[in-house]
Amino acid sequence: MNFLKSLLLLFLLLSTITSFSQKKIKTIKITVLNERSKPFENVTVELVLAKGTKLFKTAKTDKKGAVLFNDPPAGTYFFNVKAVGYEPHKTTQIKSPFAISALNIRILPSSQVLREVVIEARKPPIQHIKGKVILNVDATTTNTGTSVLELLEQSPGVMVDKEGNISLQGKSTVLVMIDEKPTYLSGSDLTNMLSGMSALQVSQIELITNPSAKYDASGNGGIINIKTKKNTQEGFNGSVTIIGGWSRDYKNNNGLLLNYRKGRVNAFATASFNANNNFTDILASRNYFGKQNSITGTLDQTTAIKNLTHYSFLKTGLDFYASKNTTLGLALSGTLINRTGGSDAVANWKQPSGLVDSAVSTTSLSQYKFKNGAINLSLKQAIGNDQDLSVDLDVLKYSMNNDQEFTNRLLSVNGYVTGTDIEIPSSIKILSAKADHVIHFGKNSQLESGFKSSSINTDNTAGYINSNGDTRSVDLNRSNHFQYKETINALYSSFERKIGKLNAQVGLRYEHTDYKAHQLGNAIKPDSSFSRTYGNFFPSGYLSYDLDSLNALTLTASRRIDRPAYQKLNPFVFIVNKYTLQRGNPFIVPQYSWNMELSHRFKQLLTTTISYSVVENYFSQLFLSEGTNILIYTDGNVGELRNFGVSTSIQFYPVKWWSFNGQANYNYKKLDGYQNISYNSSVNQFQFSVNNQFNLNKTLNAEISGYYITKARNDLQELLYPTGQVSAGISKSMLKGKANVKFNVRDIFFTQAMEGLTDFPQAREYFKLIRDSRLFVLSFTYRFGKPLKAVKRSNGGATDEMKRAGS
């Protein structure tokens, strides 16, 4: 009996233990962590019934990144985790009542997921990240073999006019930087450098329409940052690229990327060597008007230009990781451009009836040499757990020399022969230093402050010698020697704070400018000088609100300045042809602008932006008359520009193997100004660009891309006609992913012409420029080395002065 009681007691005890061990949990705690494995607040977590994928409950995580789900009905569920800018996460299925009481989920930013996936999948050609539009150059096959200038021409929202001036979202005077350093060039010198620079040197192009107070206030249109390729893999590794192309003539681009990293030392080097034949055909027809707008004469000009350009670039440097908190950096870079060429032009003077009155032939020979050297020293120091300090020192020097010979012949029995020899050497020396300090207040706030000081010295000489038969004489009216010195000192501070769904930043920058210019006289021209000192405040900021886990609104605003390019203040004369001259203007003053944007983003799928800007003392090209038939290009302040814009960008996969990216931009621009008479002009302009990528198999990809621009206007007196192009390419991976072969055709239908109308005083000119835009390209790239671990190094402190150093 006692045995039976003991057996029964043991049975009851075992049953009780078993029942407790099998007890199910009715409440589960979900904790969401970000990419740094820190608690992630305000993340949407959905509890979804697996059967029929029916949403049961939605909740937001608290400050600890946690959310509780209590006693859902019995069934099979899964969790969806969503946050703006992060890749959505879906868990495996789980049954209720639950077998566990807590679950940790880590999510990654969309950009990081894309970087991790790119090894095995397709990298998107365009990304929208933290107020930037990022163009991944290698993700587009048709970029192979192009120059950086051609890359910009086909970038969404970017326009390049016939003078090489760059605009962004319909706004001109953009600050162009390379690796967050300004180019310090503008006009033809910037165009020469970007047209020589190969796309194979570039990893990304960043388009920033409303930069924060940390950046220089220069650039009404914002900033275009060209990020060059860098290799930071462990050990010794790199890549080599060979590109051959054909248009009317042969083109060749070669690139080398090397890196050695071991222990505390990382050494890197990148080089590019290009040899390109280029051509430009120009047609211009200029009508001169008399009283009651009657045509008094016509000048028809055809010009054929051919150039051979040799471009060499080398960048090398060293990063030394002195400790876990201290990094020292040294970078050296140099560029050499040597371009030789010539042109043949014929100008036919016609009577109002259309009969040819006379004809003048102009031939020219030119040699352009460009040298640039730069040194960057940098320090990055972590101060405790919540402060960071970075210091940069940049020293740069440019040397440019442009030699030209013009010969004019009157094509008649009693014709004449005259000529002009020109030497235009110039040099630019730049010293820039800056420091940035960041204090983090917890996880959701930070204060950033800093200063920058830059000094620029330019020296420009223009020597003209005229010839008439065997007689040669110095042209003292056009020859000149111009010196310019400028100093800019800046202070800034910005505060950023996140409160729940709201992110906000407010910043203020002060810049003080002082410049002195001196034009040395000669035997017939007096010595002259001018100077100016001014200071301005430039506020900026943004508000961003997460409507839910998929939608976000962002409002940005900033005040910006554009200073005249150094060379445009120099009133020297540059010969375009016998009847057209170009001249600087010492009376240009800075232009100021207010820029505002409101954007809506739906995941990484759709981004829509509305923008408005007002520009005072607007820079514009001006066209003046001198004498009877001579017309002069110059620059000046003409009045006010108002620009209203709407843009939308979409990126999705119609099917698994097809990636589509499209962008549309609309701008309404209204210019009010005065140039001898009051001018009022406006234009509605559209720009469309598309990129289609097709993943044919694991190693073969194809692409079709293109863009189209309607009528556009950047200057008060010049209207541009529609233009566009279509390109296609194919890419093949081989040798287990170590090598890649690409073939593409750019501007298949040869439609990328630059065409328009220019209004002069008592004259109007139709022009059309055709370049070697149709290009057949074959490239081969071979990569060697181990998987990389990226190391970010300083890109220097220079941020504005390079842009303005050009002619």
Side-chain angles (χ1 to χ4, degrees):
M1 191 71 174
N2 290 332
F3 173 75
L4 292 175
K5 287 182 178 180
S6 300
L7 188 61
L8 178 61
L9 183 61
L10 180 60
F11 175 76
L12 291 173
L13 180 60
L14 292 173
S15 299
T16 302
I17 293 173
T18 304
S19 65
F20 275 106
S21 66
Q22 294 178 345
K23 183 178 179 179
K24 295 295 184 178
I25 301 168
K26 295 184 178 181
T27 300
I28 187 169
K29 178 182 178 182
I30 304 296
T31 301
V32 180
L33 307 174
N34 61 17
E35 69 276 16
R36 299 186 300 274
S37 297
K38 301 293 185 182
F40 202 164
E41 183 185 0
N42 200 37
V43 176
T44 301
V45 181
E46 299 174 343
L47 180 61
V48 182
L49 187 63
K51 186 176 181 179
T53 61
K54 182 179 179 181
L55 179 63
F56 176 74
K57 186 178 180 180
T58 300
K60 291 277 190 178
T61 57
D62 58 20
K63 292 183 178 180
K64 296 181 180 180
V67 63
L68 296 176
F69 289 93
N70 297 311
D71 199 17
T76 302
Y77 296 84
F78 62 86
F79 294 97
N80 278 332
V81 182
K82 301 175 183 178
V84 174
Y86 283 74
E87 194 72 9
H89 181 86
K90 178 182 176 182
T91 68
T92 57
Q93 294 184 0
I94 186 171
K95 291 186 178 181
S96 174
F98 305 110
I100 57 175
S101 61
L103 178 64
N104 292 342
I105 300 173
R106 183 171 179 261
I107 60 175
L108 299 175
S110 299
S111 58
Q112 182 171 337
V113 172
L114 289 168
R115 287 197 299 268
E116 293 174 351
V117 171
V118 71
I119 296 174
E120 298 179 356
R122 292 161 290 178
K123 193 172 186 178
I126 299 177
Q127 294 172 267
H128 296 263
I129 300 174
K130 293 184 179 180
K132 301 178 182 179
V133 178
I134 298 177
L135 312 177
N136 295 304
V137 176
D138 284 342
T140 303
T141 303
T142 53
N143 288 337
T144 304
T146 62
S147 69
V148 172
L149 187 66
E150 291 167 333
L151 280 181
L152 293 177
E153 286 178 332
Q154 61 194 37
S155 298
V158 178
M159 285 183 58
V160 182
D161 66 17
K162 63 182 174 65
E163 304 298 328
N165 300 309
I166 300 170
S167 62
L168 177 61
Q169 302 291 1
K171 295 176 284 187
S172 58
T173 57
V174 176
L175 174 61
V176 178
M177 300 194 300
I178 298 177
D179 291 329
E180 296 186 3
K181 297 179 185 180
T183 60
Y184 287 108
L185 299 174
S186 65
S188 61
D189 288 320
L190 177 61
T191 302
N192 288 331
M193 188 185 71
L194 296 180
S195 61
M197 188 176 181
S198 173
L200 67 87
Q201 296 175 236
V202 181
S203 62
Q204 292 181 330
I205 294 178
E206 296 178 336
L207 310 178
I208 312 171
T209 53
N210 262 327
S212 68
K214 177 181 178 179
Y215 293 94
D216 294 353
S218 179
N220 160 51
I223 292 174
I224 296 178
N225 182 33
I226 301 166
K227 300 179 70 174
T228 58
K229 293 177 180 177
K230 284 181 255 184
N231 194 344
T232 52
Q233 295 177 352
E234 292 284 354
F236 177 73
N237 41 69
S239 66
V240 60
T241 300
I242 300 173
I243 300 176
W246 182 269
S247 180
R248 283 187 187 176
D249 212 328
Y250 179 70
K251 299 175 184 288
N252 175 254
N253 298 329
N254 303 299
L256 179 66
L257 188 65
L258 297 174
N259 189 80
Y260 177 76
R261 182 180 175 190
K262 186 175 182 180
R264 293 186 175 185
V265 176
N266 180 71
F268 59 91
T270 180
S272 180
F273 307 96
N274 310 330
N276 294 315
N277 289 282
N278 305 99
F279 76 86
T280 304
D281 293 335
I282 305 174
L283 169 65
S285 181
R286 185 185 301 168
N287 289 324
Y288 293 85
F289 298 97
K291 295 180 180 180
Q292 299 179 347
N293 290 326
S294 60
I295 297 177
T296 59
T298 298
L299 174 63
D300 287 342
Q301 301 178 83
T302 58
T303 306
I305 304 172
K306 293 183 179 181
N307 293 307
L308 172 60
T309 302
H310 292 275
Y311 173 93
S312 301
F313 170 81
L314 175 64
K315 181 176 181 180
T316 184
L318 185 73
D319 294 313
F320 177 66
Y321 310 104
S323 69
K324 66 177 183 179
N325 294 327
T326 305
T327 303
L328 301 172
L330 168 67
L332 308 173
S333 64
T335 303
L336 296 175
I337 301 175
N338 190 345
R339 186 186 67 203
T340 57
S343 67
D344 292 296
V346 175
N348 290 304
W349 284 100
K350 296 182 178 180
Q351 301 174 6
S353 62
L355 295 176
V356 176
D357 183 74
S358 62
V360 177
S361 167
T362 300
T363 59
S364 72
L365 297 175
S366 65
Q367 183 172 35
Y368 176 82
K369 293 183 178 181
F370 174 102
K371 297 179 181 179
N372 162 245
I375 303 173
N376 168 246
L377 297 173
S378 65
L379 165 69
K380 284 192 173 184
Q381 179 69 48
I383 306 172
N385 296 322
D386 54 9
Q387 296 187 57
D388 296 290
L389 174 67
S390 62
V391 180
D392 286 280
L393 176 66
D394 290 278
V395 180
L396 301 98
K397 183 177 180 180
Y398 288 91
S399 176
M400 294 157 285
N401 194 77
N402 193 3
D403 295 340
Q404 295 179 301
E405 297 179 10
F406 289 90
T407 302
N408 302 305
R409 294 180 175 85
L410 178 62
L411 303 179
S412 66
V413 176
N414 298 316
Y416 59 77
V417 178
T418 63
T420 303
D421 295 345
I422 311 170
E423 291 185 0
I424 308 179
S426 61
S427 66
I428 305 171
K429 298 177 182 179
I430 300 162
L431 176 63
S432 174
K434 77 163 192 158
D436 300 288
H437 179 247
V438 181
I439 304 177
H440 302 276
F441 301 98
K443 295 178 292 185
N444 297 322
S445 302
Q446 74 173 35
L447 175 66
E448 187 172 12
S449 303
F451 80 90
K452 178 190 172 183
S453 180
S454 61
S455 175
I456 304 97
N457 289 273
T458 73
D459 195 314
N460 311 273
T461 303
Y464 285 76
I465 298 178
N466 294 329
S467 61
N468 190 345
D470 295 330
T471 304
R472 293 172 62 84
S473 60
V474 177
D475 188 344
L476 295 178
N477 284 311
R478 296 178 181 177
S479 299
N480 80 94
H481 187 182
F482 181 72
Q483 296 174 335
Y484 181 91
K485 182 177 181 179
E486 178 183 87
T487 302
I488 301 176
N489 296 304
L491 293 170
Y492 81 91
S493 186
S494 65
F495 181 74
E496 188 173 6
R497 171 73 172 168
K498 179 179 180 181
I499 306 174
K501 296 183 177 182
L502 181 68
N503 289 326
Q505 183 190 73
V506 59
L508 183 64
R509 186 180 183 93
Y510 176 78
E511 294 188 351
H512 181 271
T513 305
D514 178 82
Y515 72 76
K516 297 178 181 178
H518 182 200
Q519 180 157 358
L520 283 69
N522 56 39
I524 64 172
K525 295 178 67 175
D527 189 274
S528 64
S529 63
F530 54 93
S531 62
R532 181 178 173 84
T533 300
Y534 56 93
N536 298 98
F537 287 96
F538 301 96
S540 63
Y542 77 84
L543 287 172
S544 181
Y545 184 76
D546 297 337
L547 299 175
D548 52 37
S549 60
L550 302 177
N551 296 273
L553 288 174
T554 302
L555 175 66
T556 62
S558 65
R559 183 175 188 253
R560 303 189 65 77
I561 185 176
D562 287 297
R563 300 174 180 87
Y566 315 128
Q567 298 286 41
K568 289 187 177 181
L569 292 168
N570 180 12
F572 80 95
V573 175
F574 178 80
I575 296 177
V576 179
N577 56 50
K578 181 176 174 60
Y579 303 103
T580 308
L581 307 177
Q582 190 170 8
R583 186 171 64 196
N585 179 5
F587 303 107
I588 306 177
V589 298
Q591 67 176 16
Y592 297 90
S593 63
W594 272 103
N595 302 308
M596 290 160 281
E597 286 187 355
L598 176 63
S599 63
H600 168 262
R601 188 180 68 185
F602 175 69
K603 298 169 54 173
Q604 283 286 329
L605 177 67
L606 179 67
T607 302
T608 305
T609 302
I610 299 174
S611 63
Y612 181 74
S613 66
V614 180
V615 184
E616 300 290 341
N617 295 327
Y618 178 66
F619 291 160
S620 179
Q621 250 194 357
L622 303 177
F623 308 99
L624 312 174
S625 295
E626 185 175 275
T628 306
N629 300 318
I630 304 297
L631 294 178
I632 298 176
Y633 290 77
T634 188
D635 292 87
N637 305 100
V638 297
E640 181 181 81
L641 167 68
R642 296 180 181 271
N643 188 334
F644 171 77
V646 178
S647 66
T648 183
S649 175
I650 186 170
Q651 181 173 295
F652 68 100
Y653 291 84
V655 293
K656 184 179 180 180
W657 48 268
W658 176 14
S659 170
F660 174 85
N661 185 289
Q663 176 137 350
N665 296 276
Y666 164 76
N667 289 97
Y668 172 74
K669 300 169 70 172
K670 189 174 189 303
L671 294 88
D672 297 313
Y674 180 82
Q675 174 56 32
N676 296 325
I677 62 173
S678 294
Y679 279 91
N680 294 285
S681 62
S682 62
V683 66
N684 293 282
Q685 63 187 59
F686 293 86
Q687 182 178 11
F688 307 94
S689 62
V690 296
N691 180 279
N692 296 276
Q693 297 196 11
F694 308 98
N695 188 15
L696 304 180
N697 58 43
K698 291 183 178 180
T699 62
L700 189 63
N701 294 282
E703 177 188 318
I704 299 176
S705 62
Y707 72 90
Y708 178 78
I709 303 173
T710 64
K711 286 185 178 181
R713 184 184 293 275
N714 286 331
D715 293 302
L716 189 67
Q717 297 167 256
E718 187 169 274
L719 179 69
L720 299 176
Y721 287 174
T723 186
Q725 59 134 297
V726 175
S727 302
I730 192 165
S731 173
K732 171 70 175 177
S733 178
M734 56 181 58
L735 300 180
K736 298 182 179 180
K738 291 184 177 182
N740 186 279
V741 175
K742 296 180 181 180
F743 175 76
N744 71 80
V745 184
R746 188 175 183 271
D747 193 12
I748 297 173
F749 304 107
F750 205 28
T751 54
Q752 191 189 346
M754 195 169 291
E755 187 178 12
L757 282 176
T758 302
D759 288 318
F760 299 91
Q762 289 81 49
R764 171 175 288 184
E765 180 177 276
Y766 164 81
F767 63 86
K768 186 174 184 179
L769 285 77
I770 299 175
R771 300 172 298 163
D772 48 351
S773 56
R774 180 160 58 188
L775 182 64
F776 300 84
V777 178
L778 180 65
S779 74
F780 174 79
T781 299
Y782 180 77
R783 291 174 290 274
F784 50 91
K786 301 176 182 179
L788 66 86
K789 180 180 180 181
V791 176
K792 184 178 179 180
R793 72 174 309 275
S794 171
N795 286 313
T799 56
D800 175 40
E801 294 78 12
M802 280 186 183
K803 170 181 179 288
R804 302 171 47 239
S807 60

